């Protein structure tokens, strides 16, 4: 079975988010500037962890999409990355609302689309991994002989 090199074509929002997150993380780390909501809502070690996670999620997710080896390995890496992406962007939305209150609801609502999309994508990847593990006929995969490829 060939690798699904065109996976990224079907997930442009995910790819855009995964490209943007390490850029944001590197800028936050190098410029040593943080959003006020993050500074007020998170302790210093958590802020640094959040910034490092932005870099790791983006690099890891893109690595998973472009993984040259087994499809299941690439999907597993991508799965972990989108779960963490959803978690850390959700943290930011909570920090924003906690600090800004009602004034931050509109911005947090928009930011919450990233965790929602990330968890949705994680569910799709979990279904794909299940299909691969059991060798089922899936809409995006051909039948796999002998289990996981």
């Amino acid at each position: 079975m060939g690798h699904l090199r065109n996976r990224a074509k079907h997930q442009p929002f995910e790819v855009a988010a995964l490209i943007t997150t390490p850029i944001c993380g590197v800028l936050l780390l190098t410029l040593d500037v943080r959003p006020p909501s993050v500074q007020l809502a998170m302790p210093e070690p958590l802020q640094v962890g959040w910034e490092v996670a932005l870099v790791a999620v983006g690099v890891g997710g893109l690595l998973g999409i472009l993984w040259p080896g087994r499809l299941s390995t690439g999907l597993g890496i991508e799965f972990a990355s989108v779960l963490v992406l959803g978690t850390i962007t959700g943290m930011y939305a909570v920090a924003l609302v906690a600090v800004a209150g009602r004034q931050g609801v509109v911005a947090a609502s928009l930011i919450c689309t990233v965790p929602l999309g990330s968890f949705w994508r994680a569910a799709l990847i979990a279904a794909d991994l299940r299909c691969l593990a059991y060798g089922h006929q899936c809409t995006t995969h051909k039948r796999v002989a002998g289990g996981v490829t």
Side-chain angles (χ1 to χ4, degrees), residues 36-37 40 92-111:
S37 57
L40 293 172
Y92 179 58
V94 169
L96 183 60
V97 171
V99 172
R102 288 181 13 171
Q103 292 176 338
V105 170
V106 174
S109 298
L110 182 60
I111 292 165

Side-chain angles (χ1 to χ4, degrees), residues 7 16 30 36 38 43-44 48 54 90 103 114-115 121 123 134-135 138 141:
R7 281 192 354 228
T30 58
V38 171
E44 181 75 24
V48 174
L54 285 169
Q103 292 176 338
V114 177
R121 178 66 182 136
Y134 293 108
C138 298
H141 307 296

Side-chain angles (χ1 to χ4, degrees), residues 45-64:
L46 193 58
Q47 292 174 31
V48 174
W50 178 70
E51 294 164 354
V52 170
L54 285 169
V55 176
V57 160
V59 172
L62 293 171
L63 178 65

Side-chain angles (χ1 to χ4, degrees), residues 7 9 19 24 27 32-33 36 41 43 47 51 57 66-67 69 76 89 92 109 111 118 120 126 132 137 142 146:
R7 281 192 354 228
K9 291 180 187 175
I19 289 171
C24 291
L27 288 173
D32 198 28
V33 176
Q47 292 174 31
E51 294 164 354
V57 160
L66 300 172
W67 190 257
T89 53
Y92 179 58
S109 298
I111 292 165
S118 297
W120 185 334
L132 286 171
Q137 185 75 24
K142 296 180 181 175

